[in-house]
Amino acid sequence: MATTENVYSRIIKIVLIASLLFFNIFSIIKSAPQNVEYCATNGSHYTGDIDNTIVNVFNLAKEKADQPFLKRRDHFLYFGRNPGFFSFVAESAIRMGIKSTFPISLLTLLLFNLGIIFFYKWVSLVFENREIVSLGLIFAATTGFFLHYSATLEDHSYTFVFFNLGIWALVSFYREKKRWLLVLAALAYFMCCQNYFMYYLAFYVTALG
């Protein structure tokens, strides 16, 4: 006979799975080319700044891709000054024949899901309570940030996955003392910082905590 605790745990699992399914379905629908075009024309900040985070990133990447690779010196920069690994990914996709934003948005959605997995793993190690972690993910997956920025071509998904990968590696290193985890954490920190300058500080402060 199921106890109240078991029933509570099952309900949380069901709600978590439903939330993540909703998150992915919403993101796929939103990143469809016709919806991107509509939101870029008629949207606002509350729709996730699609004109800035998808259309502009794609157009800037296309501008680079239309020129010979060696002619440009700013492949890893965004607007010529900010670290922009995400811009290089978009440019590379266009050079390989991608004609719309949709395939790149699917890649960024995949990165968000990988980030969710690493978030779950490292928070589980810290709190040692899966119910708390699940409730946190349910909340996160239904917030405006996750829903509106999951399919963006900008830095959000890249920093999310590298940030959580790095913190998981650090927490695991403190517990297991395996050097490869420290190397992985350093690499994740480096890649996180390659997507926007502010993550030099954000990652460092969180790691210290």
Side-chain angles (χ1 to χ4, degrees), residues 30 35-53 148-149:
K30 184 173 182 177
N35 291 331
V36 169
E37 182 179 354
Y38 174 82
C39 290
T41 305
N42 303 284
S44 69
H45 178 73
Y46 297 101
T47 60
D49 280 340
I50 280 183
D51 54 335
N52 289 322
T53 61
H148 292 311
Y149 290 98

Side-chain angles (χ1 to χ4, degrees), residues 4-208:
T4 303
E5 185 177 347
N6 289 336
V7 172
Y8 175 69
S9 179
R10 289 177 184 176
I11 292 174
I12 290 179
K13 288 180 181 179
I14 292 172
V15 175
L16 174 60
I17 293 172
S19 299
L20 293 177
L21 283 173
F22 170 74
F23 159 70
N24 280 277
I25 293 171
F26 179 92
S27 300
I28 291 172
I29 293 174
K30 184 173 182 177
S31 60
Q34 60 269 30
N35 291 331
V36 169
E37 182 179 354
Y38 174 82
C39 290
T41 305
N42 303 284
S44 69
H45 178 73
Y46 297 101
T47 60
D49 280 340
I50 280 183
D51 54 335
N52 289 322
T53 61
I54 294 182
V55 177
N56 286 354
V57 175
F58 186 82
N59 289 340
L60 286 171
K62 189 175 185 303
E63 179 184 318
K64 294 179 182 180
D66 287 340
Q67 301 181 35
F69 184 84
L70 295 179
K71 187 176 180 179
R72 302 289 303 223
R73 296 290 186 270
D74 58 347
H75 299 289
F76 290 91
L77 295 177
Y78 192 51
F79 285 116
R81 59 183 183 274
N82 293 323
F85 176 73
F86 60 89
S87 179
F88 175 71
V89 172
E91 177 192 341
S92 299
I94 294 171
R95 288 184 184 276
M96 290 188 290
I98 296 297
K99 302 298 183 182
S100 77
T101 61
F102 188 61
I104 312 174
S105 289
L106 292 182
L107 170 63
T108 59
L109 180 58
L110 173 62
L111 294 177
F112 246 109
N113 279 278
L114 289 174
I116 288 172
I117 292 173
F118 287 117
F119 172 84
Y120 186 90
K121 289 173 71 70
W122 78 259
V123 178
S124 295
L125 290 173
V126 171
F127 288 98
E128 298 181 349
N129 187 315
R130 292 186 177 182
E131 281 73 23
I132 291 178
V133 183
S134 297
L135 288 172
L137 276 179
I138 291 170
F139 173 78
T142 54
T143 60
F145 174 81
F146 262 58
L147 292 176
H148 292 311
Y149 290 98
S150 57
T152 178
L153 305 192
E154 215 171 18
D155 62 286
H156 306 89
S157 59
Y158 297 90
T159 51
F160 185 72
V161 66
F162 288 127
F163 178 87
N164 285 290
L165 171 62
I167 299 300
W168 168 78
L170 274 179
V171 173
S172 299
F173 171 74
Y174 292 145
R175 287 171 173 262
E176 302 177 20
K177 305 301 180 184
K178 295 180 180 178
R179 290 185 179 180
W180 70 269
L181 287 168
L182 190 59
V183 173
L184 180 60
L187 180 61
Y189 172 66
F190 174 78
M191 291 305 301
C192 187
C193 296
Q194 293 310 302
N195 286 282
Y196 216 47
F197 67 89
M198 63 182 178
Y199 295 103
Y200 283 96
L201 179 62
F203 191 109
Y204 178 71
V205 171
T206 305
L208 285 179

